[in-house]
Amino acid sequence: MFNRLLSHIDNKTIQNVSIKTRNLITGGLDQRIYFHHIPKCGGTSLNRALQSCYVKWSLWESGTVVNLNSGASWESAQVLFDKALPPDTVDDSAVMQLREELLFYFMSLGHVHYLSGHFPFSSRAHQHYGSKFGFITVLRDPVDRWISSYFYNNYRQSASYRKIAIDIEDYIESPLGKSQGYEYAKFLGGVARDGNFMSSKFVECAKANLHKFRLIGFLDDMDAFKSQFAEIYGTPLRLKTLNKRPEKEKVLNKVIDENMMATIKEICRADIEIYEYALAHFK
């Protein structure tokens, strides 16, 4: 009977039990972390690993971990700002403003020790809470990120707020596709209250804001990130295999010819500039 019971317990459940027990014995991580999760930069797997440093058996202590619900913030912004936001919208400044306010709220809660989500970078939040939270982020090659974002929103996205249905040839020419080349400028440059984050101003602000992070990782070298994390926080980061690229996405890459790739690189020129700056200063 005991063996039958064990057969119904999946590996994820066993892993959660192991993590909570370990943190109960070791005490878990005391230092607070804010994980600035830029979309499609391998953050889902990293987020799980970072959370595992905090979760324990106590129900109260489980509240120390907070993740932004992106879909709920999108829906809330439409109601609060009385603004329709279709999935292919470029100007989602209402959402980003609301998320900045939520960032302040979560950081002000004394019991929150770990916070993550698709928040915009906020210099005000860093000024007020940077001494309490270590700001962490991970970057990815902008062209790879752009392709992955298209694939995810077109084929795998379950939430309706960013679900699209468009051929990649049309996506490249679309306003949304072109705006995705400024994703680092958008998420690192600060809140564009007028919706215009596609400018040199936000590129320069993004580069300056990178210096406010305690730790910056790069998706193509997560071993270095784990080593730096252990050095800073005094505990190993149990980061297992990152989410593998689906076969359909690999097939999509074969569809992209040299001309299309050249166009995508041109679209991503702003994010490439930010990424190369980060490589030069933080890798």
Side-chain angles (χ1 to χ4, degrees), residues 142 145 180-185 268-275:
R145 197 216 64 79
Q180 285 292 302
Y182 282 80
E183 200 76 341
Y184 288 161
C268 294
R269 65 189 183 279
D271 279 359
I272 290 173
E273 181 179 340
I274 297 168
Y275 184 73

Side-chain angles (χ1 to χ4, degrees), residues 112-218:
V112 173
H113 283 197
Y114 176 74
L115 172 63
S116 73
H118 296 324
F119 296 97
F121 183 85
S122 171
S123 293
R124 294 191 300 166
H126 184 269
Q127 179 183 353
H128 287 278
Y129 298 108
S131 61
K132 295 182 179 180
F133 285 85
F135 281 45
I136 288 177
T137 196
V138 169
L139 304 178
R140 180 182 189 178
D141 177 87
V143 172
D144 285 346
R145 197 216 64 79
W146 189 96
I147 294 171
S148 181
S149 178
Y150 163 76
F151 176 84
Y152 183 81
N153 289 329
N154 202 63
Y155 295 102
R156 299 180 64 202
Q157 175 69 269
S158 57
S160 60
Y161 75 97
R162 269 304 191 195
K163 181 71 174 178
I164 59 174
I166 184 172
D167 292 336
I168 191 166
E169 294 87 352
D170 295 327
Y171 182 75
I172 288 174
E173 299 298 328
S174 71
L176 177 60
K178 292 177 180 178
S179 73
Q180 285 292 302
Y182 282 80
E183 200 76 341
Y184 288 161
K186 174 182 176 180
F187 276 90
L188 292 168
V191 180
R193 301 189 181 280
D194 61 355
N196 181 23
F197 56 88
M198 297 168 65
S199 67
S200 59
K201 171 190 172 183
F202 275 81
V203 172
E204 294 304 315
C205 286
K207 290 191 284 188
N209 288 335
L210 286 171
H211 291 275
K212 300 173 184 177
F213 284 84
R214 190 173 189 188
L215 178 58
I216 295 174
F218 297 89

Side-chain angles (χ1 to χ4, degrees), residues 15-60:
Q15 183 182 24
N16 287 338
V17 170
S18 175
I19 289 170
K20 290 182 178 181
T21 303
R22 181 198 72 214
N23 288 346
L24 179 65
I25 296 172
T26 63
L29 190 60
D30 291 329
Q31 300 178 69
R32 296 181 179 185
I33 288 177
Y34 162 56
F35 174 43
H36 188 73
H37 186 179
I38 300 173
K40 307 316 298 172
C41 286
T44 301
S45 297
L46 177 57
N47 183 39
R48 287 196 294 263
L50 290 168
Q51 285 185 97
S52 71
C53 297
Y54 295 91
V55 291
K56 300 179 184 177
W57 283 105
S58 167
L59 289 176
W60 170 251

